[in-house]
Amino acid sequence: MKKIMTMGLALLLMSSSWKAQAKDYRISSAKELDALHLKAGDRVLMAEGEWKDQQLKFKGNGTKGRPIVLMAANPGKTILNGNSTLDIDGSWLLVEGLAFANGRLDSGEVINFSEKSFSCRLTNTTVTDYNGANDQVDYTWVSLRGSHNRVDHCLLKGKNHQGVTLVVWLSDKPNYHQIDHNYFGPRPELGRNGGETIRIGTSTWSFYDSFTVVEQNIFDHCDGEIEAVSVKSCKNTIRNNLFYECKATLTLRHGNHSEVYGNYFIGNGKPGTGGVRIIGEDHLVRDNYFQDLTGTGNSAAISVMAGLPNPILVSHWQVKNARITDNLILNCKEPFAIAAGYRTDRYLPALNTYFGKNIIVGNTEPLKWYDEKVVVNFEGNQILSASFSGQQGRGFELKNEQLKKTESGVFLRPGQADFKPFWESEQIGPSWISNLNKKIIIN
């Protein structure tokens, strides 16, 4: 017994010693950060005020229970501008409470997770209007390299120049990144390719696995280009996000085996608003909610693309084995577009597509065939309408039934219990910015 008590006391003293070794450092420049030799448990507190043209290099190796922290002494009050950047290089590093605003770069990225970064986290941070005078200049706001990193509870809005807002870069090993509870604010139309809000991978790496999870984010008026979220890799999960009045789509552009479920696409009748676009093999699109979208073809509520023969990595690959189930589609101009993008050189039909147990509400034709030779397996779908007079059968049943509307403006499926959507029950964006979800109004 005495020996056990002695060992316990020794462990307690060791734990206390480790805690005592952790230090707090207060800094007011990137040069002061460079001079530090940080250890697990240390915290670096950045002074309030303007930090102009500061290239922050945050390095070190923490542990799961004792990360190294770089944080604003007062969240949101450390303002980085000019050509300020942040490089996160190490393991178990935590960045919190910074505000990048009204700066600009000539290239590169505002915030970068290095290739060696592991289990690092960026949270409660903003990047707003970090734009130069020339919208042709291409740079990224957040680049995710390394593995098992997380970006959460951040606000990124106002990007109006060339380049993706947040990019996941691939390597020959899966990265397992997590992107959650962020508020991606308005991004105006760029007028050309390269205006995505999130891109997971690149065309040249599109057949490598990523295992990135994107969940419980709000995409608010992300209109940069047709792809608000562009998936260019394999085995990703995009779930429980809100796409609010985005003149864009969630596009499975390259790669295979991704899941898209539990997302909300709210158009409120805004021109060009879209849903999910499917390209590639073995994708699952289920339990999503589409309401008042006006997009057609590539921007329909659910769009299955025609494929190119003999495709190269940048091509539109043939759709195979897509399963589209249990989605609720309300008052959308084009609920399901089949062989969208069909033309004389892009004609490969989707193979083995299953469209089952979906509910379509409205008085318009549920299907738009851009190539009527495509074979789709329809099963157990319902059309809820008081006046629809189109063709029934082929896996569709017409019902005269109305859905219940919640206080949030979301309609419930038949038999579904009332609930609050995630943006009304979860903290989205930085904790020091209030009422972001008040912008979400469903007509």
Side-chain angles (χ1 to χ4, degrees):
M1 176 67 77
K2 183 177 180 180
K3 184 176 181 181
I4 293 174
M5 290 178 65
T6 303
M7 290 177 61
L9 180 60
L11 289 171
L12 179 62
L13 290 173
M14 287 178 68
S15 175
S16 299
S17 176
W18 288 341
K19 289 181 180 179
Q21 290 174 6
K23 296 180 180 180
D24 280 0
Y25 299 92
R26 295 185 178 273
I27 65 169
S28 56
S29 70
K31 185 177 180 180
E32 292 179 14
L33 178 62
D34 287 342
L36 299 177
H37 298 284
L38 298 170
K39 298 179 180 179
D42 287 348
R43 295 195 312 167
V44 181
L45 286 79
M46 298 172 63
E48 286 189 24
E50 180 183 15
W51 290 52
K52 187 174 182 180
D53 301 333
Q54 299 291 306
Q55 280 68 56
L56 298 165
K57 306 293 185 182
F58 183 31
K59 297 183 178 182
N61 293 292
T63 64
K64 183 176 182 179
R66 293 162 54 83
I68 302 173
V69 180
L70 175 68
M71 61 186 296
N74 191 344
K77 301 297 184 181
T78 299
I79 312 298
L80 295 113
N81 55 26
N83 64 6
S84 294
T85 58
L86 169 64
D87 191 63
I88 302 169
D89 185 15
S91 59
W92 299 105
L93 302 178
L94 170 62
V95 177
E96 182 169 9
L98 309 187
F100 290 80
N102 302 307
R104 69 177 183 87
L105 303 181
D106 294 324
S107 62
E109 44 262 318
V110 180
I111 300 171
N112 176 55
F113 290 75
S114 78
E115 293 180 357
K116 296 180 180 178
S117 62
F118 170 77
S119 291
C120 296
R121 181 182 177 191
L122 175 72
T123 187
N124 280 310
T125 291
T126 64
V127 185
T128 57
D129 303 317
Y130 224 77
N131 303 308
N134 182 358
D135 70 3
Q136 301 276 351
V137 177
D138 189 337
Y139 58 92
T140 301
W141 281 11
V142 179
S143 278
L144 270 169
R145 297 179 171 89
S147 69
H148 296 83
N149 296 316
R150 183 183 180 193
V151 177
D152 67 283
H153 296 92
C154 293
L155 168 66
L156 296 93
K157 69 168 184 157
K159 192 175 196 292
N160 65 12
H161 62 87
Q162 188 78 24
V164 185
T165 305
L166 186 156
V167 179
V168 172
W169 300 96
L170 299 189
S171 69
D172 55 358
K173 296 180 180 179
N175 47 255
Y176 298 100
H177 295 316
Q178 184 174 348
I179 303 165
D180 64 283
H181 294 87
N182 303 289
Y183 198 105
F184 294 95
R187 177 165 188 181
E189 289 186 64
L190 185 63
R192 56 187 178 273
N193 194 31
E196 304 98 318
T197 296
I198 290 180
R199 192 186 72 219
I200 306 172
T202 59
S203 301
T204 51
W205 286 86
S206 56
F207 287 103
Y208 286 83
D209 295 338
S210 177
F211 289 101
T212 290
V213 175
V214 180
E215 62 183 343
Q216 293 184 303
N217 303 282
I218 293 177
F219 298 86
D220 178 9
H221 289 84
C222 294
D223 301 340
E225 61 150 88
I226 190 174
E227 299 175 14
V229 173
S230 181
V231 178
K232 294 186 175 181
S233 51
C234 298
K235 296 181 181 177
N236 300 288
T237 301
I238 318 296
R239 64 188 177 203
N240 302 327
N241 301 281
L242 169 63
F243 294 81
Y244 181 71
E245 295 188 4
C246 293
K247 188 179 180 182
T249 62
L250 190 173
T251 300
L252 302 173
R253 181 62 182 85
H254 294 299
N256 307 318
H257 299 282
S258 285
E259 293 190 33
V260 176
Y261 64 89
N263 301 284
Y264 295 81
F265 299 82
I266 308 296
N268 284 337
K270 175 183 169 180
T273 46
V276 178
R277 186 161 64 125
I278 302 171
I279 304 163
E281 300 181 14
D282 300 299
H283 296 307
L284 175 61
V285 178
R286 64 171 176 85
D287 296 290
N288 299 286
Y289 183 101
F290 306 87
Q291 183 176 342
D292 297 318
L293 303 174
T294 61
T296 60
N298 293 349
S299 297
I302 300 175
S303 174
V304 171
M305 294 284 292
L308 279 167
N310 303 313
I312 58 176
L313 285 173
V314 298
S315 299
H316 289 80
W317 286 66
Q318 188 176 23
V319 177
K320 297 179 182 178
N321 309 318
R323 290 186 60 83
I324 305 164
T325 67
D326 301 287
N327 299 285
L328 180 58
I329 308 172
L330 301 103
N331 304 315
C332 294
K333 187 172 182 179
E334 204 166 280
F336 184 32
I338 303 164
Y342 176 87
R343 61 191 191 202
T344 55
D345 65 332
R346 189 193 295 154
Y347 58 81
L348 290 180
L351 300 179
N352 195 27
T353 301
Y354 178 79
F355 190 87
K357 297 185 289 184
N358 301 286
I359 299 174
I360 300 175
V361 181
N363 300 320
T364 59
E365 179 63 48
L367 309 177
K368 174 65 175 179
W369 297 82
Y370 290 87
D371 177 9
E372 295 189 358
K373 298 188 298 297
V374 179
V375 176
V376 178
N377 181 12
F378 297 103
E379 183 178 43
N381 302 288
Q382 297 181 17
I383 301 173
L384 306 188
S385 174
S387 59
F388 177 68
S389 58
Q391 183 180 4
Q392 298 178 54
R394 298 187 59 189
F396 287 87
E397 179 183 3
L398 179 62
K399 289 188 175 183
N400 186 0
E401 184 176 349
Q402 291 188 340
L403 300 181
K404 180 182 177 181
K405 190 175 186 179
T406 68
E407 292 183 1
S408 305
V410 173
F411 286 88
L412 300 174
R413 293 171 169 84
Q416 184 180 11
D418 201 352
F419 71 101
K420 283 189 176 182
F422 76 88
W423 60 88
E424 292 188 0
S425 59
E426 300 275 344
Q427 172 66 43
I428 307 299
S431 58
W432 45 273
I433 299 179
S434 60
N435 297 323
L436 281 173
N437 68 330
K438 298 299 183 184
K439 300 178 181 180
I440 306 303
I441 300 172
I442 303 176
N443 297 334

